[in-house]
Amino acid sequence: EAGVTQFPSHSVIEKGQTVTLRCDPISGHDNLYWYRRVMGKEIKFLLHFVKESKQDESGMPNNRFLAERTGGTYSTLKVQPAELEDSGVYFCASSQDYGSGEKLFFGSGTQLSVL
Amino acid sequence: AQSVTQLGSHVSVSEGALVLLRCNYSSSVPPYLFWYVQYPNQGLQLLLKYTTGATLVKGINGFEAEFKKSETSFHLTKPSAHMSDAAEYFCAVMGFGNEKLTFGTGTRLTIIP
C-alpha cells in the first residue's frame, strides 16, 4: 500500500514567486492535514480537510496560503506570493478515522526555501 | 489550549547507554500523548501513544514512555541505544475530541559509537 506522497521534495523559489505543493493521501483516507515546521521550531497545524471540505483552517498563517482538495483526493497548498518567513518543511498527513491520532500517516514533507 | 515542551534540542548518548528524551505538556482536557520519530529523508513515524489505561506504554524499536499526570510529563526512554536510533524525535499532544496535534520543537538524538 502506497503511503502519503508529497511533491516536490524540495523547492527553492525567490521572494514574490508562487509555489504549489501537492499531497497525495493514502487511498480511501477522508481526512487530510497540512502541517508546517519553520526551522528550529515546532511542527504547527495548518488545516484539516474531510473529503473536499475544509474542516478546520485555523492554522493558516494568512491569505497568501490557499489549500484545495478538489474531488476529495489529492490536495494542493499554494503560496502566493511567497515571503522569506514561509521557508520551512510542509508536511501532509492523512487518516481514515477521525481523532485517533495513532492512525495518522505522514508524508516525508516538502522543504521550501524562499530566497 | 495545549502546549508541549521538549527539554534539549540535541541529545547525545553512547551506543548501549540509556536514552531519555523529556517531554512536558499542558492541556485543559485529558490528553492523548504521542511520540513521533523522523529519520533522515523520511516522514514522521509514530513510535508510541498514550490514550487511556496503562500509563506505561511500549512502542516500536524498544522505546517506551510513561504518562505521569501529576508531573504533566511523558518522557521517552530506551534502555540501550543503537546507532539506528539516531533521528529527530517529536512529542505531541491531542486533546480528546480535538483533531489537531500540537507538537514540541523536537529533539535530535545522536548516538556516539
Side-chain angles (χ1 to χ4, degrees):
Chain A
E1 177 184 280
V4 176
T5 309
Q6 293 187 244
F7 304 97
S9 57
H10 293 82
S11 180
V12 181
I13 61 172
E14 293 187 352
K15 175 183 172 180
Q17 291 186 321
T18 297
V19 63
T20 301
L21 314 181
R22 172 169 168 150
C23 170
D24 286 69
I26 293 173
S27 178
H29 282 193
D30 289 340
N31 296 281
L32 186 149
Y33 309 83
W34 283 98
Y35 285 83
R36 176 176 75 168
R37 187 186 191 199
V38 173
M39 186 172 12
K41 298 193 179 290
E42 68 271 30
I43 302 169
K44 283 192 171 182
F45 169 85
L46 295 179
L47 86 160
H48 170 207
F49 283 100
V50 177
K51 297 184 180 179
E52 67 274 13
S53 299
K54 292 176 185 174
Q55 182 78 9
D56 181 351
E57 53 184 328
S58 61
M60 294 287 266
N62 51 61
N63 59 10
R64 294 185 294 104
F65 289 75
L66 175 64
E68 294 180 323
R69 193 183 182 196
T70 307
T73 54
Y74 71 90
S75 174
T76 58
L77 180 64
K78 181 161 67 174
V79 185
Q80 179 182 28
E83 299 289 345
L84 300 179
E85 64 264 25
D86 301 332
S87 296
V89 181
Y90 290 77
F91 292 101
C92 176
S94 72
S95 71
Q96 190 169 42
D97 301 323
Y98 178 87
S100 69
E102 66 179 301
K103 296 179 182 176
L104 190 63
F105 296 88
F106 281 83
S108 55
T110 294
Q111 173 79 57
L112 175 63
S113 299
V114 183
L115 307 178
Chain B
Q2 299 165 153
S3 68
V4 176
T5 301
Q6 290 184 243
L7 290 176
S9 58
H10 291 83
V11 170
S12 296
V13 301
S14 297
E15 191 175 15
L18 171 73
V19 175
L20 171 61
L21 304 183
R22 299 179 185 274
C23 173
N24 288 85
Y25 71 92
S26 68
S27 177
S28 57
V29 296
Y32 290 177
L33 294 159
F34 305 84
W35 276 99
Y36 284 88
V37 60
Q38 186 181 21
Y39 298 103
N41 301 316
Q42 295 186 30
L44 294 168
Q45 180 181 359
L46 181 67
L47 265 183
L48 49 80
K49 65 168 177 67
Y50 169 80
T51 54
T52 58
T55 56
L56 181 64
V57 293
K58 296 185 184 299
I60 61 172
N61 301 336
F63 284 93
E64 62 182 37
E66 186 171 11
F67 169 57
K68 291 187 177 180
K69 185 177 178 181
S70 61
E71 298 177 9
T72 61
S73 69
F74 191 57
H75 302 329
L76 181 71
T77 60
K78 182 174 180 177
S80 177
H82 292 178
M83 295 300 295
S84 60
D85 295 327
E88 192 157 21
Y89 293 79
F90 296 90
C91 182
V93 62
M94 177 189 289
F96 178 76
N98 179 340
E99 185 68 2
K100 290 182 284 191
L101 283 167
T102 299
F103 286 89
T105 51
T107 298
R108 185 168 297 280
L109 177 64
T110 300
I111 310 299
I112 304 166

